[in-house]
Amino acid sequence: MGIGHFGRTAVAAGLLAVLLVPSRADDQPIGDAVHSLPLFDAHMHYKEPAWEQYPVESVIELMDRNGVAMALVSSTPDEGTIMLWEHAPTRIVPELRPYHGAAGSGNWTKIAGMDAYLEGRLNDYPHEGIGEFHIHRMDTADEPLFRKIIGMAKARDIYLHVHSGADPVRWLYSLDSEVKIIWAHAGLSTPAAEVYDLMAEFPHLLADTSLREWDIAGPGDALAPEWAEIVIAFQDRLMIGSDTWVNGQWDNYSDIMASNRAWLANLPREVAEKIAYKNAERLFGREITMDQIGKR
């Protein structure tokens, strides 16, 4: 159950005071110092159409140019992720996307042998997540496959990276309350109030904020109030991302990372550091520093 509008309003009064009326030096926005932080890109794709235009060397160069020390990468097909990981194993955290061949975002759960495909790739490569995958609509006929996928993830202690609205996330938790989920795009088009409620309902739910940077930034120099509430309340469970799902996102990668730094700049240093990279350090057992820039 969510805490409801009046509960959120009461919580927000205290939380937003940190951002709106800083009372201590530690509460001051990090400002331009945000540019000294390494970034963890928690939502990167290296899909086949990018391979020729953006060879692996150029992807790492783009990361270097923008202070992105490490990235969580899934690709269509998975060979793209493995190409990047083999080129720069200290910079890439691989996760397994189900999409390959005829399997795409709208039909992947209906492809015969999907469970065997996922099991085989997980056995062959060190993926640390399954996803990003889409659940456009829930279909109870998919439950056996999802129970197998949850079993694969739990056996390896890795994440499901789920692109969906709030209800499919609730459904996955109903299948197994201990499954580890990263909610892609923090629900993408899910209203901020519903994002808050879902994050409050499931205290271990993580989210990446890719494609929501402009929602979060709001007008002017302050975060949108409803997103400031989410960011402060769930600062230990959020990560930024780029979502390079088409080549246009690679073309604009520097602008995307700059927009993420812009909204992080409005946060106290401690909070900005968590979302920029420290949460990822904890979740994926990595050390993430600017010293990684220029290395593979």
Side-chain angles (χ1 to χ4, degrees):
M1 295 292 291
I3 65 175
H5 172 74
F6 294 109
R8 287 197 307 272
T9 300
V11 171
L15 296 173
L16 296 183
V18 173
L19 296 181
L20 302 179
V21 188
S23 58
R24 300 176 297 133
D26 289 349
D27 293 338
Q28 297 296 325
I30 189 173
D32 287 344
V34 75
H35 295 288
S36 68
L37 301 183
L39 298 180
F40 181 90
D41 185 340
H43 194 129
M44 181 183 283
H45 302 299
Y46 189 50
K47 297 169 69 174
E48 188 169 4
W51 297 353
E52 181 175 356
Q53 185 173 342
Y54 286 94
V56 290
E57 297 85 356
S58 69
V59 171
I60 303 305
E61 288 169 3
L62 267 177
M63 292 171 63
D64 289 345
R65 196 179 310 155
N66 291 282
V68 178
M70 200 173 295
L72 179 65
V73 181
S74 66
S75 305
T76 307
D78 185 50
E79 282 76 7
T81 295
I82 301 309
M83 287 163 56
L84 263 187
W85 170 72
E86 289 180 339
H87 175 72
T90 69
R91 305 288 297 277
I92 302 301
V93 180
E95 60 177 355
L96 175 58
R97 201 172 208 194
Y99 310 159
H100 67 286
S105 68
N107 70 338
W108 69 274
T109 61
K110 308 303 182 185
I111 297 296
M114 178 57 70
D115 54 340
Y117 169 80
L118 294 173
E119 189 78 52
R121 298 294 292 187
L122 290 170
N123 288 339
D124 289 343
Y125 299 102
H127 295 94
E128 298 187 37
I130 303 173
E132 176 217 20
F133 58 74
H134 295 66
I135 304 178
H136 293 300
R137 65 181 183 85
M138 290 186 296
D139 183 346
T140 55
D142 294 335
E143 181 175 329
L145 175 62
F146 277 105
R147 287 193 179 278
K148 290 179 181 178
I149 291 171
I150 289 169
M152 295 177 202
K154 289 187 69 177
R156 295 166 175 83
D157 192 27
I158 61 176
Y159 295 91
L160 302 187
H161 200 165
V162 183
H163 180 135
S164 73
D167 285 341
V169 173
R170 290 190 175 94
W171 179 66
L172 290 172
Y173 278 122
S174 77
L175 299 182
D176 192 316
S177 62
E178 296 180 353
V179 64
K180 296 166 61 172
I181 296 175
I182 302 171
W183 194 20
H185 318 293
L188 191 58
S189 59
T190 302
E194 294 182 28
V195 174
Y196 189 104
D197 282 348
L198 193 71
M199 297 290 288
E201 183 178 351
F202 298 102
H204 299 294
L205 177 63
L206 309 171
D208 77 66
T209 61
S210 60
L211 301 185
R212 305 218 72 162
E213 48 267 15
W214 297 112
D215 294 335
I216 297 169
D221 295 328
L223 302 191
E226 65 273 21
W227 278 98
E229 180 183 349
I230 291 167
V231 167
I232 294 300
F234 308 114
Q235 60 189 266
D236 295 314
R237 296 193 269 143
L238 299 174
M239 299 176 286
I240 64 162
S242 62
D243 192 15
T244 49
W245 68 286
V246 291
N247 283 0
Q249 291 291 95
W250 284 118
D251 298 343
N252 295 321
Y253 192 79
S254 293
D255 290 339
I256 293 168
M257 288 298 106
S259 68
N260 278 295
R261 287 194 190 272
W263 72 260
L264 290 173
N266 291 297
L267 300 173
R269 172 177 283 276
E270 181 181 7
V271 181
E273 288 178 342
K274 288 178 181 180
I275 298 170
Y277 71 100
K278 285 190 173 180
N279 289 340
E281 281 191 324
R282 184 185 78 252
L283 297 170
F284 293 102
R286 302 295 205 282
E287 182 179 6
I288 301 171
T289 75
M290 290 295 270
D291 290 341
Q292 292 160 301
I293 303 302
K295 300 177 182 177
R296 291 164 49 191

